[in-house]
Amino acid sequence: MKKSLLTEDWTVVLFGFIIIGVALVGVKIPSPSFGWETTSDLTEKVLTTGNLIKLGQIFVFTFVIALLAASVLGKSVAGTAKGFPIVFVLTSLALVLAGNAFLKNWNLEAVIFSLTIGLLLSNFFTLPAWLTETLSTELFVKIGLILLGTSVIFGDILKAGSLGLIQALVVVISVWYFAFWVSKKMGIDEEFAIMISSAVSICGVSAAIATSGAIKGDSKKLSYVISIVLITAIPMIIFLPFIAQALGLSQAVTGAWLGGTIDTTGAVIASGTMVGEEALKISTIVKFSQNVLLGFAAFAISIYWTMTNNQSATVKESKPTAAVIWERFPKFVIGFIAASLLFSFVISPETIEEVKGGFKSLQGLWFALAFTSIGLETKFSDLFSKEGKKPLYAFLIAQLFNVFVTLTVAYVLFN
């Protein structure tokens, strides 16, 4: 392996901002359509020549980024050239499956299909070593996170108003610490506990991914947490609106409850729509407030992890100096926050409106590529180990706590 020119985190920041810069100078990032309901929709909307050309364009764009990043990191460019197209094709299949209207209604996101396809191939077939050796899971995840930063707009706090912000702060802090405490009491390791706590308290999938990146977490544990998030969101979408109706809650209280409890934005919107227009509006605003806190949480978790766990034996013997903290701090978090600040206070709303669709599409693609890669390098026995039940129980207990705490706070603030 050649010597790398940059660390992986700085490479991610570099290419993340190259992508942002390309879009801001006016190069339109293609956004292929994957949404379909019937077979005729599939052929007339997704598998059309125009849409496939867009998919080809986005492949070329991401392929070039992957090759350049491999070169900067000192990895095999030839191996990446062979492996990336395979991962991209499998990920495209996952995106098409996730685009089905029926599956979307059940909040089955692309990452779960990406992971499943990768797992099926890795567990039922013998994959060539050159393929698994060239997978760049961390690179894909962190580029997606830099792009996620462009959608974490601080102005959303103002939209939420004081009540939404107060609820978000109370819920995130109380639920995070409770989930962490439960996880540690059940003997779950700290890395797993932090991922579970962030996922259940902040914003589900995005929070789990950001936290895993911040602490250089095990990708298998991340897959497990995301699977739990997506699976538990399904019954919550369906039953919470009915429970709210049975309790006689107003639309305002119901919306605040849904927005603070359900872990993914898509699921919040789906559930809020079932209740009514006011519930949908308030649930979305409350969820935005929690999403904005993701940047602060990732930064705080990074500092904590750097000063406690992420240290060599030599460092542990001495006090953690500013230089040591900086050396071991995950630099991609700086890129994430920089992107958020740039789009919050520098870029005009008109420009944001023009580029946000392309960024959202590309962000989802990088995450999906990462989870295809995780699946390809994971065995079922690793994903569902004998300790697998403890994290599930911890998540469910924390989510139940989340339901009651958020309902109480929402009732006090919005009733």
Side-chain angles (χ1 to χ4, degrees):
M1 181 184 284
K2 296 182 297 181
K3 186 177 180 181
S4 61
L5 301 177
L6 290 173
T7 63
E8 185 173 73
D9 274 356
W10 280 128
T11 300
V12 166
V13 173
L14 170 64
F15 286 103
F17 274 87
I18 285 176
I19 293 170
I20 292 170
V22 165
L24 291 179
V25 297
V27 177
K28 186 171 177 60
I29 298 174
S31 298
S33 173
F34 296 103
W36 59 284
E37 187 169 358
T38 63
T39 306
S40 60
D41 280 345
L42 182 61
T43 55
E44 293 171 10
K45 295 180 180 178
V46 179
L47 302 180
T48 61
T49 303
N51 201 54
L52 291 176
I53 288 173
K54 286 184 180 179
L55 187 60
Q57 290 171 334
I58 206 73
F59 164 72
V60 172
F61 185 70
T62 52
F63 190 34
V64 169
I65 295 290
L67 292 174
L68 291 174
S71 178
V72 170
L73 290 170
K75 294 183 177 180
S76 170
V77 174
T80 301
K82 286 196 299 180
F84 184 85
I86 294 172
V87 176
F88 188 91
V89 169
L90 295 174
T91 301
S92 298
L93 174 59
L95 291 168
V96 171
L97 289 172
N100 178 261
F102 175 79
L103 297 175
K104 266 191 172 180
N105 290 337
W106 286 92
N107 196 45
L108 295 175
E109 298 184 20
V111 290
I112 201 71
F113 292 102
S114 298
L115 178 63
T116 302
I117 289 171
L119 284 171
L120 290 174
L121 289 174
S122 64
N123 283 274
F124 293 103
F125 299 92
T126 302
L127 301 179
W130 61 262
L131 175 59
T132 54
E133 288 169 2
T134 58
L135 297 174
S136 300
T137 301
E138 289 291 318
L139 179 76
F140 298 159
V141 164
K142 290 175 181 177
I143 288 179
L145 284 167
I146 298 291
L147 296 180
L148 175 64
T150 66
S151 66
V152 179
I153 308 299
F154 285 83
D156 288 332
I157 292 179
L158 301 178
K159 291 180 188 176
S162 58
L163 296 182
L165 180 57
I166 291 169
Q167 176 175 317
L169 287 169
V170 171
V171 168
V172 168
I173 293 171
S174 60
V175 174
W176 197 97
Y177 278 103
F178 178 81
F180 188 74
W181 175 78
V182 167
S183 298
K184 296 294 287 181
K185 281 290 184 182
M186 296 181 72
I188 297 169
D189 66 79
E190 194 163 46
E191 180 185 325
F192 222 152
I194 289 175
M195 286 191 221
I196 290 170
S197 303
S198 298
V200 77
S201 65
I202 307 174
C203 53
V205 173
S206 297
I209 292 173
T211 302
S212 177
I215 64 175
K216 301 185 185 298
D218 186 337
S219 62
K220 298 179 183 65
K221 294 176 182 177
L222 175 60
S223 300
Y224 188 103
V225 172
I226 287 178
S227 299
I228 297 172
V229 167
L230 295 175
I231 291 168
T232 54
I234 294 171
M236 292 178 72
I237 293 171
I238 298 168
F239 293 114
L240 288 188
F242 290 109
I243 295 172
Q245 186 179 22
L247 293 174
L249 302 180
S250 67
Q251 282 209 23
V253 173
T254 302
W257 187 33
L258 298 177
T261 305
I262 300 176
D263 289 318
T264 65
T265 303
V268 166
I269 292 171
S271 194
T273 303
M274 293 173 61
V275 180
E277 189 173 335
E278 186 183 4
L280 174 61
K281 179 182 176 182
I282 292 178
S283 64
T284 305
I285 287 174
V286 168
K287 179 51 66 178
F288 277 163
S289 295
Q290 288 186 316
N291 290 348
V292 170
L293 295 177
L294 176 58
F296 297 107
F299 184 79
I301 289 168
S302 299
I303 291 288
Y304 167 76
W305 192 258
T306 301
M307 294 183 66
T308 55
N309 295 62
N310 193 20
Q311 298 175 15
S312 64
T314 305
V315 171
K316 285 181 178 178
E317 292 174 3
S318 60
K319 293 182 179 179
T321 63
V324 169
I325 292 173
W326 172 249
E327 178 190 347
R328 298 182 177 277
F329 185 80
K331 311 302 188 296
F332 89 90
V333 174
I334 297 171
F336 173 91
I337 293 173
S340 179
L341 292 173
L342 179 68
F343 276 72
S344 295
F345 303 112
V346 180
I347 307 301
S348 69
E350 294 77 18
T351 303
I352 292 174
E353 192 63 32
E354 288 176 12
V355 300
K356 70 177 184 180
F359 282 153
K360 184 172 179 59
S361 174
L362 200 53
Q363 167 209 313
L365 174 62
W366 283 114
F367 283 160
L369 287 167
F371 279 87
T372 301
S373 302
I374 290 172
L376 289 173
E377 59 189 4
T378 302
K379 299 292 184 184
F380 284 122
S381 55
D382 296 330
L383 189 58
F384 300 103
S385 62
K386 61 184 179 182
E387 68 166 359
K389 291 182 180 179
K390 286 184 179 180
L392 172 61
Y393 295 153
F395 184 93
L396 293 177
I397 292 169
Q399 189 63 279
L400 187 63
F401 177 80
N402 185 17
V403 167
F404 285 107
V405 166
T406 306
L407 175 59
T408 303
V409 175
Y411 190 83
V412 170
L413 293 176
F414 288 88
N415 187 38

